[in-house]
Amino acid sequence: MNVLVLNAGSSSLKFQIIETDLDRISNHKDDRICRGEVERTGGEAIITFQYRQQPKRKLTASLRDITAALDYLVRFIASDDSGVEEIRSTADINAVGHRVVHGGERFTESALIDDQVLSGIEDCIDLAPLHNPNNIKGILAARELFGKNTPQVAVFDTSFHHSIPEYAFLYAIPYHLYRRYRVRRYGFHGTSHRYVAFCYRAIRGLTREQTNIITLHLGNGCSAAAIKQGNSVDTSMGMTPLEGLVMGTRSGDLDPAIISLIAAKEGLSASDVETMLNTQSGLLGISGLTNDMRELQSELKDHEDRRVRLAIEIFCYRARKYIGEYLAAMGGADAVVFTGGIGENSPDIRARICQNLEWAGLKIDSVRNHEMVGREGLISTDDSRLLAYAIPTDEELLIARDTVRVILGQPHPS
Ligand code: ADP
């Protein structure tokens, strides 16, 4: 089955086409045909495209919105120019899998999209006003292009965290706010946490029930998850992705009283401050330089910059605190798993985060740690009681697999 995986943002559309089916899933033989991204829709859009291992190509086209972007993209992929032999027309796309950010309390697993599911995703707009409307646009665009007979599946960022118990998802604020507005922790990056938990147990030959780990997704957005017996029992992002770890441009945890103080002092509205916490804070806010960890690290190598050093220190300290918090919450864990752009590629950050965790039985093996860049493997010493792994995430692959499983009515294996 050729599955088109879509991740529709406000002015971008990320895509992959993955050929997979139940046999391929069980033998890990999924075949990634092509991938890319359309950026800056609404004007002169830039299309990045890669067919298999061939070099990336850049194209430009005037594309007014997501519908135009999808139409252009599929037309291009099906044309001789793209070189994609597997896709000659829309009929060669058998299903579409969508990343949907917020599934609220309703969507505890991936869902075949019909009118009811679509209106359920619309009902969650209040919870993710910046994300769900774009995801809906992606779904409607695909429906228009492929017709109602091509099945579409929604895979939610939130659903892996549906197993978090009430005492961990409720905030200590008047209870009626939860009843009225569903104010609670939902958590995000669920597809990534679920995927690396699945890889971890495959590496170690464990069952789902034997999977007791802390996963750290450290990319531009960052989150931690406590996974006990294969289920998410706590996670660091909250009602929105703002809470928790220090991120590229997001503050993560902070005293909520700060919001009204900044608003009063700077003459801003509460929502202006929220935007500042989402877009001007985190690594960027502290360093005053960039949200990009790689750039911060190379800056620190070249010059001793106090704020760059601080940004990295605060980032690592917060991550370490969450490991400690989850070890206590879970009554201990067997491993810490690093993923996301930083978690997969930066031995230095992984080592800094794990500093002083010897008490918990975790010692990083420097050789292994430096070997595991962009690939999966153990990074702790043989005598560690708490293991550490680096495991590259692959959210698109999990979306394609879920799409197949949902269409064929197969239960979730993980
Ligand atoms: P997103 O959350 O947008 O998907 P990624 O998971 O790609 O982002 O992560 C982006 C982050 O990963 C950036 O801060 C980038 O600097 C960082 N990163 C990528 N490669 C490296 C590396 N080799 N060393 C340190 N950081 C890296």
Side-chain angles (χ1 to χ4, degrees):
M1 203 183 274
N2 291 328
V3 182
L4 172 64
V5 177
L6 292 180
N7 179 356
S10 59
S11 65
S12 72
L13 181 69
K14 291 195 185 126
F15 66 92
Q16 290 199 11
I17 297 178
I18 298 174
E19 187 186 357
T20 187
D21 52 39
L22 295 179
D23 262 358
R24 282 180 185 266
I25 294 173
S26 48
N27 298 313
H28 297 279
K29 288 273 187 281
D30 323 73
D31 186 17
R32 202 173 317 253
I33 298 174
C34 62
R35 64 168 97 190
E37 183 170 12
V38 184
E39 290 167 282
R40 298 200 210 151
T41 56
E44 193 65 7
I46 300 167
I47 300 105
T48 314
F49 176 79
Q50 186 178 26
Y51 175 45
R52 297 196 177 278
Q53 305 309 322
Q54 292 184 7
K56 278 188 188 159
R57 291 173 61 181
K58 288 244 184 230
L59 308 152
T60 55
S62 172
L63 300 171
R64 69 181 183 283
D65 56 16
I66 294 294
T67 309
L70 184 62
D71 197 58
Y72 173 90
L73 203 61
V74 175
R75 226 185 270 269
F76 170 73
I77 292 170
S79 73
D80 290 340
D81 187 21
S82 73
V84 181
E85 287 149 18
E86 296 83 348
I87 311 290
R88 307 309 297 167
S89 78
T90 49
D92 293 326
I93 307 256
N94 309 110
V96 186
H98 294 268
R99 175 188 179 213
V100 178
V101 169
H102 220 305
E105 291 190 320
R106 168 164 171 183
F107 295 106
T108 57
E109 54 184 46
S110 304
L112 189 64
I113 301 173
D114 56 17
D115 289 341
Q116 267 188 347
V117 167
L118 194 58
S119 84
I121 298 171
E122 278 165 1
D123 290 343
C124 298
I125 285 179
D126 268 359
L127 297 169
L130 299 179
H131 295 103
N132 274 31
N134 299 315
N135 302 150
I136 292 168
K137 280 183 197 153
I139 293 168
L140 295 176
R143 210 183 241 190
E144 199 176 313
L145 185 65
F146 296 105
K148 274 204 161 179
N149 290 333
T150 301
Q152 298 198 55
V153 171
V155 179
F156 301 90
D157 265 23
T158 46
S159 51
F160 179 58
H161 301 301
H162 80 272
S163 42
I164 294 177
E166 211 172 19
Y167 60 78
F169 76 61
L170 278 180
Y171 293 111
I173 56 176
Y175 189 80
H176 70 262
L177 297 172
Y178 169 58
R179 263 207 312 257
R180 272 188 214 158
Y181 312 115
R182 301 282 123 190
V183 173
R184 52 160 283 185
R185 173 185 312 287
Y186 291 93
F188 299 87
H189 286 150
T191 319
S192 179
H193 291 294
R194 190 179 133 212
Y195 181 77
V196 296
F198 169 78
C199 294
Y200 163 82
R201 70 175 218 248
I203 296 171
R204 296 203 61 200
L206 303 173
T207 63
R208 194 172 189 285
E209 289 67 32
Q210 292 169 322
T211 304
N212 297 305
I213 57 176
I214 296 164
T215 48
L216 292 175
H217 177 110
L218 309 176
N220 228 330
C222 301
S223 68
I227 300 176
K228 192 166 181 176
Q229 297 181 344
N231 296 317
S232 173
V233 292
D234 206 346
T235 192
S236 59
M237 282 178 167
M239 167 99 182
T240 78
L242 183 53
E243 195 180 346
L245 302 179
V246 175
M247 316 185 203
T249 61
R250 296 190 190 115
S251 63
D253 296 335
L254 87 173
D255 180 344
I258 290 171
I259 296 175
S260 52
L261 182 133
I262 298 174
K265 298 271 184 207
E266 298 269 313
L268 300 171
S269 67
S271 100
D272 291 339
V273 179
E274 187 186 323
T275 304
M276 179 193 279
L277 296 176
N278 268 304
T279 63
Q280 303 296 319
S281 303
L283 295 174
L284 171 66
I286 303 162
S287 70
L289 205 65
T290 173
N291 62 322
D292 193 297
M293 183 59 93
R294 215 172 351 184
E295 287 177 23
L296 289 175
Q297 288 179 306
S298 77
E299 184 65 26
L300 199 57
K301 239 190 223 151
D302 299 342
H303 317 99
E304 170 52 43
D305 184 313
R306 199 182 79 85
R307 277 171 56 188
V308 168
R309 178 178 293 284
L310 257 182
I312 296 175
E313 252 175 37
I314 297 171
F315 180 93
C316 295
Y317 175 69
R318 181 86 53 91
R320 191 184 319 131
K321 269 213 306 201
Y322 266 92
I323 295 175
E325 188 174 303
Y326 288 165
L327 284 173
M330 298 165 71
D334 298 326
V336 176
V337 174
F338 289 91
T339 194
I342 302 171
E344 292 163 23
N345 298 306
S346 180
D348 175 51
I349 298 297
R350 293 190 301 234
R352 281 173 192 256
I353 291 173
C354 296
Q355 253 167 31
N356 296 330
L357 280 176
E358 284 84 5
W359 64 271
L362 171 53
K363 273 185 265 168
I364 292 293
D365 180 310
S366 176
V367 175
R368 285 178 182 160
N369 188 26
H370 282 87
E371 275 170 7
M372 296 312 154
V373 173
R375 64 195 185 97
E376 70 175 31
L378 185 70
I379 58 168
S380 52
T381 58
D382 285 334
D383 60 347
S384 288
R385 270 180 296 115
L386 175 61
L387 311 183
Y389 283 84
I391 301 181
T393 194
D394 196 339
E395 293 161 272
E396 291 80 7
L397 180 62
L398 191 52
I399 293 174
R401 289 178 170 185
D402 263 16
T403 301
V404 166
R405 287 190 285 241
V406 166
I407 291 169
L408 300 178
Q410 296 289 316
H412 260 223
S414 57

